[in-house]
């Protein structure tokens, strides 16, 4: 879902109305109006402004300025328990083959020495919308299609709307406290950072948010940053909403990462797992210790395995643990995502038990089969 699910064919812009002014090359002049569904214009010879009306057939128009854009017409609306109507936005990087001029994205996360951005918004009352800053990442240097990881920074939330997924905690980034949500829309994973009150402008490190997502085990340093985007997701109303200024800069100079083989040779797993359980009539606890037996550090981990029949996880500590059927997925928390060669990371959980107890027999860490300690 969301704006990245539009058909690639829609990139062929149809200029059939005097209301539409679309510039794919050069710079938009002052007060360039875009009403075409996926129309876009370049500003400052560096960024792309896009109308991106992906969730409604009703007309939406934006007025592109030299520093951002304003929503001038918005006829569509969506139920607040569903997806928004659009994502009019300005971006740096590549979005569905449309790349901003001279961009150095996609760039591997490990190669980024700094990534900074600033954004200023103008808000309106009486509408249902969010002011959303999006950061897109993918395991490959992707310039088209849906990326696998979306980081959303909600600087303002108006009306009965909420991010995808559920709350997993809070964190401090960019000098502020954010509520953290995590989930999936069926096409990509989403981690959202929601401000407790409206923020009209922010100057911050994009890399800090990327690193936090990496430490949660959602990406690794071998992934690629593909685009940085800022705009609005309107559900109902929103004429007058504006991005008044936007800038973004991504600098290289980090340490390139060579992705490991996806299937390690048998007997050469770079991890070992020690599983210690204590069971009683209708319950059990388990302590799990992961050892990095490889020669390079693990930056973010996800451990998967199957529990025997009759076992169900109820609560956990030192990891985010979920269960679907018999499959358990455990992801690191912020403090134990990095494991040096020879180092360990541990977590535990409690569960209910029906029948006799037995321990799981095989484990996989970031796609690699682990040996047993």
């Amino acid at each position: 879902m969301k704006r990245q699910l539009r058909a690639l064919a829609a990139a062929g812009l149809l200029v059939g109305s005097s209301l539409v002014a679309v510039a794919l090359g050069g710079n938009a002049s002052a007060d360039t109006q875009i009403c075409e569904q996926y129309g876009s214009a370049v500003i400052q010879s560096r960024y792309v402004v896009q109308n991106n009306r992906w969730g409604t057939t009703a007309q939406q128009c934006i007025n592109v300025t030299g520093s951002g854009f304003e929503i001038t017409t918005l006829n569509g609306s969506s139920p607040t328990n569903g997806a928004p109507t659009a994502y009019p936005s300005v971006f740096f990087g590549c979005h569905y083959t449309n790349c901003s001029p001279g961009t150095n994205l996609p760039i591997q996360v490990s190669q980024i020495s700094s990534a900074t951005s600033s954004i200023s918004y103008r808000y309106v009352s009486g509408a249902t919308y969010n002011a959303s800053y999006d950061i897109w990442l993918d395991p490959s240097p992707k310039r088209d299609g849906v990326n696998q990881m979306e980081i959303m920074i909600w600087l303002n939330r108006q009306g009965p709307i909420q991010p995808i997924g559920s709350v997993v905690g809070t964190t401090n980034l960019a000098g502020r406290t954010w509520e953290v949500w995590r989930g999936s829309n069926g096409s990509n994973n989403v981690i959202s950072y929601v401000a407790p009150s409206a923020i009209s402008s922010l100057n911050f490190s994009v890399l800090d948010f990327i690193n936090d997502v990496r430490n949660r085990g959602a990406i690794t340093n071998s992934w690629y940053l593909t685009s940085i985007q800022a705009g609005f997701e309107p559900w109902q109303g929103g004429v007058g909403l504006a991005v008044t200024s936007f800038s973004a800069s991504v600098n290289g100079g980090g340490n390139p990462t060579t992705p490991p083989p996806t299937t390690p040779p048998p007997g050469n797993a770079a991890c070992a797992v020690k599983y210690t359980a204590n069971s009683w009539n209708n319950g059990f606890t388990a302590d799990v210790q992961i050892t990095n037996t490889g020669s390079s550090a693990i930056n973010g981990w996800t451990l998967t395995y199957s529990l025997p029949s009759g076992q169900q996880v109820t609560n956990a500590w030192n990891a985010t643990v979920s269960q679907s059927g018999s499959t358990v997925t455990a992801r690191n928390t912020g403090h134990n995502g990095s494991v040096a060669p020879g180092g360990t990371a541990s977590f535990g959980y409690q569960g209910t038990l029906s029948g006799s107890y037995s321990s799981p027999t095989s484990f996989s860490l970031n796609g690699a089969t682990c040996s047993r300690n």
Side-chain angles (χ1 to χ4, degrees), residues 324-370:
S324 177
S326 63
T327 302
V328 172
T329 302
R331 295 182 174 88
N332 66 274
T333 58
H335 71 276
N336 63 359
S338 296
V339 186
T344 62
S346 299
F347 68 95
Y349 57 89
Q350 184 175 353
T352 58
L353 174 64
S354 174
S356 60
Y357 177 82
S358 60
S359 294
T361 57
S362 63
F363 301 85
S364 178
L365 187 74
N366 294 346
T369 302
C370 298

Tab-separated table of all heavy atoms in Angstrom, residues 324-370:
chain	number	residue	atom	x	y	z
A	324	SER	N	4.400	-16.608	15.618
A	324	SER	CA	3.357	-16.869	14.636
A	324	SER	C	3.292	-18.368	14.415
A	324	SER	O	4.213	-18.951	13.831
A	324	SER	CB	3.649	-16.135	13.326
A	324	SER	OG	2.681	-16.432	12.341
A	325	GLY	N	2.212	-19.009	14.903
A	325	GLY	CA	2.176	-20.466	14.877
A	325	GLY	C	3.258	-21.005	15.789
A	325	GLY	O	3.340	-20.642	16.962
A	326	SER	N	4.117	-21.852	15.254
A	326	SER	CA	5.233	-22.371	16.046
A	326	SER	C	6.508	-21.547	15.878
A	326	SER	O	7.469	-21.737	16.623
A	326	SER	CB	5.519	-23.825	15.654
A	326	SER	OG	5.931	-23.902	14.297
A	327	THR	N	6.518	-20.612	14.920
A	327	THR	CA	7.736	-19.857	14.601
A	327	THR	C	7.917	-18.670	15.534
A	327	THR	O	7.019	-17.834	15.668
A	327	THR	CB	7.704	-19.361	13.155
A	327	THR	OG1	7.568	-20.478	12.270
A	327	THR	CG2	8.982	-18.606	12.813
A	328	VAL	N	9.075	-18.606	16.167
A	328	VAL	CA	9.436	-17.499	17.055
A	328	VAL	C	10.455	-16.619	16.349
A	328	VAL	O	11.406	-17.118	15.735
A	328	VAL	CB	10.015	-18.026	18.388
A	328	VAL	CG1	10.576	-16.878	19.226
A	328	VAL	CG2	8.950	-18.772	19.163
A	329	THR	N	10.258	-15.303	16.422
A	329	THR	CA	11.207	-14.331	15.884
A	329	THR	C	11.623	-13.413	17.010
A	329	THR	O	10.772	-12.766	17.640
A	329	THR	CB	10.583	-13.512	14.746
A	329	THR	OG1	10.142	-14.394	13.708
A	329	THR	CG2	11.601	-12.528	14.171
A	330	ALA	N	12.924	-13.367	17.298
A	330	ALA	CA	13.471	-12.516	18.359
A	330	ALA	C	14.414	-11.493	17.741
A	330	ALA	O	15.356	-11.870	17.037
A	330	ALA	CB	14.201	-13.361	19.401
A	331	ARG	N	14.158	-10.210	17.985
A	331	ARG	CA	14.993	-9.141	17.453
A	331	ARG	C	15.658	-8.398	18.604
A	331	ARG	O	15.069	-8.204	19.667
A	331	ARG	CB	14.162	-8.149	16.617
A	331	ARG	CG	13.571	-8.760	15.348
A	331	ARG	CD	12.801	-7.718	14.555
A	331	ARG	NE	12.340	-8.235	13.275
A	331	ARG	CZ	11.201	-8.856	13.066
A	331	ARG	NH1	10.382	-9.044	14.092
A	331	ARG	NH2	10.856	-9.290	11.876
A	332	ASN	N	16.873	-7.942	18.366
A	332	ASN	CA	17.630	-7.244	19.400
A	332	ASN	C	16.927	-5.962	19.831
A	332	ASN	O	16.122	-5.382	19.102
A	332	ASN	CB	19.035	-6.906	18.908
A	332	ASN	CG	19.026	-5.904	17.766
A	332	ASN	OD1	18.898	-6.293	16.613
A	332	ASN	ND2	19.171	-4.623	18.066
A	333	THR	N	17.227	-5.497	21.021
A	333	THR	CA	16.814	-4.178	21.475
A	333	THR	C	17.951	-3.204	21.189
A	333	THR	O	18.976	-3.573	20.620
A	333	THR	CB	16.478	-4.203	22.970
A	333	THR	OG1	17.634	-4.661	23.704
A	333	THR	CG2	15.321	-5.136	23.261
A	334	GLY	N	17.766	-1.938	21.581
A	334	GLY	CA	18.772	-0.932	21.251
A	334	GLY	C	20.135	-1.159	21.869
A	334	GLY	O	21.158	-0.786	21.305
A	335	HIS	N	20.184	-1.829	23.047
A	335	HIS	CA	21.447	-1.937	23.759
A	335	HIS	C	22.248	-3.195	23.415
A	335	HIS	O	23.420	-3.282	23.797
A	335	HIS	CB	21.206	-1.904	25.275
A	335	HIS	CG	20.548	-3.134	25.812
A	335	HIS	ND1	19.185	-3.311	25.798
A	335	HIS	CD2	21.053	-4.269	26.364
A	335	HIS	CE1	18.884	-4.483	26.327
A	335	HIS	NE2	20.002	-5.091	26.677
A	336	ASN	N	21.662	-4.170	22.728
A	336	ASN	CA	22.410	-5.414	22.485
A	336	ASN	C	22.423	-5.820	21.011
A	336	ASN	O	22.532	-6.990	20.693
A	336	ASN	CB	21.851	-6.546	23.353
A	336	ASN	CG	20.396	-6.897	23.026
A	336	ASN	OD1	19.774	-6.291	22.157
A	336	ASN	ND2	19.858	-7.884	23.734
A	337	GLY	N	22.303	-4.824	20.118
A	337	GLY	CA	22.286	-5.137	18.691
A	337	GLY	C	23.641	-5.432	18.092
A	337	GLY	O	23.734	-6.115	17.081
A	338	SER	N	24.704	-4.902	18.693
A	338	SER	CA	26.060	-5.130	18.177
A	338	SER	C	26.742	-6.219	18.997
A	338	SER	O	26.823	-6.122	20.224
A	338	SER	CB	26.885	-3.841	18.226
A	338	SER	OG	26.340	-2.857	17.370
A	339	VAL	N	27.241	-7.241	18.297
A	339	VAL	CA	27.920	-8.358	18.959
A	339	VAL	C	29.282	-8.538	18.302
A	339	VAL	O	29.380	-8.884	17.121
A	339	VAL	CB	27.104	-9.660	18.851
A	339	VAL	CG1	27.763	-10.759	19.681
A	339	VAL	CG2	25.664	-9.449	19.287
A	340	ALA	N	30.341	-8.274	19.052
A	340	ALA	CA	31.700	-8.383	18.529
A	340	ALA	C	32.078	-9.848	18.322
A	340	ALA	O	31.458	-10.752	18.902
A	340	ALA	CB	32.684	-7.725	19.502
A	341	PRO	N	33.067	-10.122	17.469
A	341	PRO	CA	33.541	-11.506	17.319
A	341	PRO	C	33.895	-12.113	18.674
A	341	PRO	O	34.627	-11.513	19.459
A	341	PRO	CB	34.779	-11.348	16.438
A	341	PRO	CG	34.529	-10.105	15.655
A	341	PRO	CD	33.796	-9.190	16.595
A	342	GLY	N	33.348	-13.275	18.955
A	342	GLY	CA	33.562	-13.914	20.237
A	342	GLY	C	32.632	-13.436	21.333
A	342	GLY	O	32.608	-14.008	22.425
A	343	GLY	N	31.862	-12.370	21.065
A	343	GLY	CA	30.967	-11.815	22.061
A	343	GLY	C	29.619	-12.513	22.077
A	343	GLY	O	29.314	-13.359	21.237
A	344	THR	N	28.803	-12.157	23.053
A	344	THR	CA	27.486	-12.782	23.203
A	344	THR	C	26.407	-11.728	23.383
A	344	THR	O	26.671	-10.602	23.810
A	344	THR	CB	27.449	-13.739	24.409
A	344	THR	OG1	27.705	-12.987	25.606
A	344	THR	CG2	28.473	-14.853	24.264
A	345	ALA	N	25.184	-12.122	23.058
A	345	ALA	CA	23.985	-11.348	23.360
A	345	ALA	C	22.968	-12.321	23.943
A	345	ALA	O	22.851	-13.458	23.480
A	345	ALA	CB	23.433	-10.688	22.100
A	346	SER	N	22.241	-11.873	24.972
A	346	SER	CA	21.316	-12.775	25.654
A	346	SER	C	19.943	-12.147	25.782
A	346	SER	O	19.802	-10.925	25.855
A	346	SER	CB	21.845	-13.129	27.047
A	346	SER	OG	23.095	-13.781	26.981
A	347	PHE	N	18.934	-12.990	25.795
A	347	PHE	CA	17.583	-12.556	26.086
A	347	PHE	C	16.836	-13.730	26.715
A	347	PHE	O	17.340	-14.867	26.751
A	347	PHE	CB	16.867	-12.071	24.822
A	347	PHE	CG	16.560	-13.145	23.813
A	347	PHE	CD1	15.323	-13.780	23.790
A	347	PHE	CD2	17.514	-13.522	22.867
A	347	PHE	CE1	15.033	-14.768	22.857
A	347	PHE	CE2	17.243	-14.502	21.929
A	347	PHE	CZ	15.995	-15.134	21.923
A	348	GLY	N	15.650	-13.457	27.218
A	348	GLY	CA	14.857	-14.523	27.825
A	348	GLY	C	13.381	-14.268	27.677
A	348	GLY	O	12.953	-13.176	27.281
A	349	TYR	N	12.582	-15.275	27.977
A	349	TYR	CA	11.136	-15.111	27.915
A	349	TYR	C	10.443	-16.174	28.758
A	349	TYR	O	11.047	-17.156	29.186
A	349	TYR	CB	10.630	-15.160	26.473
A	349	TYR	CG	10.970	-16.411	25.686
A	349	TYR	CD1	10.134	-17.525	25.702
A	349	TYR	CD2	12.122	-16.467	24.903
A	349	TYR	CE1	10.437	-18.656	24.958
A	349	TYR	CE2	12.442	-17.582	24.161
A	349	TYR	CZ	11.593	-18.676	24.196
A	349	TYR	OH	11.901	-19.799	23.469
A	350	GLN	N	9.165	-15.922	28.994
A	350	GLN	CA	8.315	-16.846	29.722
A	350	GLN	C	7.196	-17.295	28.802
A	350	GLN	O	6.765	-16.546	27.915
A	350	GLN	CB	7.723	-16.175	30.966
A	350	GLN	CG	6.887	-17.099	31.846
A	350	GLN	CD	6.446	-16.401	33.115
A	350	GLN	OE1	6.844	-15.287	33.411
A	350	GLN	NE2	5.615	-17.083	33.894
A	351	GLY	N	6.707	-18.531	28.995
A	351	GLY	CA	5.649	-19.024	28.137
A	351	GLY	C	4.737	-19.992	28.859
A	351	GLY	O	5.006	-20.428	29.986
A	352	THR	N	3.644	-20.311	28.194
A	352	THR	CA	2.724	-21.317	28.714
A	352	THR	C	3.034	-22.667	28.070
A	352	THR	O	3.580	-22.732	26.964
A	352	THR	CB	1.270	-20.927	28.424
A	352	THR	OG1	1.085	-20.764	27.007
A	352	THR	CG2	0.910	-19.628	29.132
A	353	LEU	N	2.656	-23.731	28.749
A	353	LEU	CA	3.001	-25.072	28.287
A	353	LEU	C	1.778	-25.980	28.395
A	353	LEU	O	1.078	-25.991	29.398
A	353	LEU	CB	4.139	-25.630	29.151
A	353	LEU	CG	4.555	-27.088	28.911
A	353	LEU	CD1	5.116	-27.264	27.505
A	353	LEU	CD2	5.572	-27.526	29.967
A	354	SER	N	1.539	-26.731	27.344
A	354	SER	CA	0.491	-27.745	27.342
A	354	SER	C	1.119	-29.064	26.900
A	354	SER	O	1.625	-29.182	25.788
A	354	SER	CB	-0.647	-27.345	26.392
A	354	SER	OG	-1.606	-28.368	26.280
A	355	GLY	N	1.129	-30.041	27.782
A	355	GLY	CA	1.784	-31.303	27.468
A	355	GLY	C	3.195	-31.349	28.008
A	355	GLY	O	3.597	-30.541	28.847
A	356	SER	N	3.971	-32.289	27.521
A	356	SER	CA	5.345	-32.447	27.989
A	356	SER	C	6.248	-31.391	27.358
A	356	SER	O	5.987	-30.900	26.267
A	356	SER	CB	5.862	-33.846	27.656
A	356	SER	OG	5.840	-34.064	26.252
A	357	TYR	N	7.345	-31.065	28.053
A	357	TYR	CA	8.252	-30.018	27.582
A	357	TYR	C	9.402	-30.601	26.762
A	357	TYR	O	9.943	-31.659	27.083
A	357	TYR	CB	8.853	-29.220	28.746
A	357	TYR	CG	9.854	-28.198	28.242
A	357	TYR	CD1	9.415	-26.983	27.757
A	357	TYR	CD2	11.221	-28.501	28.195
A	357	TYR	CE1	10.322	-26.077	27.242
A	357	TYR	CE2	12.125	-27.597	27.685
A	357	TYR	CZ	11.671	-26.379	27.201
A	357	TYR	OH	12.556	-25.490	26.670
A	358	SER	N	9.781	-29.884	25.690
A	358	SER	CA	11.027	-30.147	24.969
A	358	SER	C	11.536	-28.830	24.405
A	358	SER	O	10.749	-27.898	24.185
A	358	SER	CB	10.812	-31.158	23.837
A	358	SER	OG	9.856	-30.684	22.899
A	359	SER	N	12.841	-28.729	24.166
A	359	SER	CA	13.450	-27.498	23.679
A	359	SER	C	13.527	-27.487	22.157
A	359	SER	O	13.561	-28.554	21.522
A	359	SER	CB	14.862	-27.350	24.255
A	359	SER	OG	14.823	-27.160	25.649
A	360	PRO	N	13.562	-26.305	21.556
A	360	PRO	CA	13.760	-26.222	20.103
A	360	PRO	C	15.113	-26.795	19.723
A	360	PRO	O	16.054	-26.809	20.534
A	360	PRO	CB	13.665	-24.728	19.808
A	360	PRO	CG	13.902	-24.055	21.116
A	360	PRO	CD	13.405	-24.975	22.163
A	361	THR	N	15.238	-27.262	18.500
A	361	THR	CA	16.454	-27.986	18.089
A	361	THR	C	17.321	-27.230	17.089
A	361	THR	O	18.488	-27.570	16.916
A	361	THR	CB	16.080	-29.337	17.480
A	361	THR	OG1	15.187	-29.135	16.376
A	361	THR	CG2	15.386	-30.214	18.534
A	362	SER	N	16.785	-26.228	16.401
A	362	SER	CA	17.596	-25.516	15.405
A	362	SER	C	17.278	-24.036	15.441
A	362	SER	O	16.139	-23.632	15.728
A	362	SER	CB	17.351	-26.077	14.000
A	362	SER	OG	16.015	-25.897	13.600
A	363	PHE	N	18.290	-23.209	15.128
A	363	PHE	CA	18.177	-21.762	15.211
A	363	PHE	C	18.830	-21.138	13.974
A	363	PHE	O	19.825	-21.661	13.448
A	363	PHE	CB	18.874	-21.227	16.470
A	363	PHE	CG	18.319	-21.784	17.752
A	363	PHE	CD1	18.773	-23.002	18.253
A	363	PHE	CD2	17.343	-21.100	18.447
A	363	PHE	CE1	18.261	-23.523	19.433
A	363	PHE	CE2	16.823	-21.609	19.623
A	363	PHE	CZ	17.279	-22.817	20.121
A	364	SER	N	18.274	-19.985	13.557
A	364	SER	CA	18.828	-19.263	12.414
A	364	SER	C	18.993	-17.793	12.803
A	364	SER	O	18.050	-17.177	13.294
A	364	SER	CB	17.899	-19.387	11.207
A	364	SER	OG	18.395	-18.656	10.097
A	365	LEU	N	20.186	-17.244	12.587
A	365	LEU	CA	20.501	-15.861	12.914
A	365	LEU	C	20.757	-15.077	11.644
A	365	LEU	O	21.695	-15.396	10.893
A	365	LEU	CB	21.708	-15.785	13.836
A	365	LEU	CG	22.035	-14.384	14.374
A	365	LEU	CD1	21.015	-13.974	15.451
A	365	LEU	CD2	23.453	-14.325	14.949
A	366	ASN	N	19.907	-14.091	11.368
A	366	ASN	CA	20.028	-13.277	10.141
A	366	ASN	C	20.142	-14.153	8.898
A	366	ASN	O	20.879	-13.843	7.947
A	366	ASN	CB	21.224	-12.329	10.227
A	366	ASN	CG	21.062	-11.271	11.295
A	366	ASN	OD1	19.953	-11.061	11.811
A	366	ASN	ND2	22.139	-10.592	11.640
A	367	GLY	N	19.419	-15.255	8.901
A	367	GLY	CA	19.378	-16.138	7.733
A	367	GLY	C	20.411	-17.251	7.743
A	367	GLY	O	20.376	-18.121	6.864
A	368	ALA	N	21.344	-17.246	8.703
A	368	ALA	CA	22.383	-18.279	8.765
A	368	ALA	C	22.066	-19.275	9.886
A	368	ALA	O	21.694	-18.880	10.982
A	368	ALA	CB	23.756	-17.658	8.996
A	369	THR	N	22.219	-20.559	9.605
A	369	THR	CA	21.981	-21.587	10.610
A	369	THR	C	23.072	-21.566	11.666
A	369	THR	O	24.272	-21.510	11.336
A	369	THR	CB	21.932	-22.986	9.953
A	369	THR	OG1	20.900	-22.998	8.974
A	369	THR	CG2	21.654	-24.062	10.990
A	370	CYS	N	22.675	-21.592	12.928
A	370	CYS	CA	23.621	-21.551	14.035
A	370	CYS	C	23.896	-22.950	14.562
A	370	CYS	O	23.032	-23.839	14.500
A	370	CYS	CB	23.074	-20.682	15.182
A	370	CYS	SG	22.790	-18.966	14.761
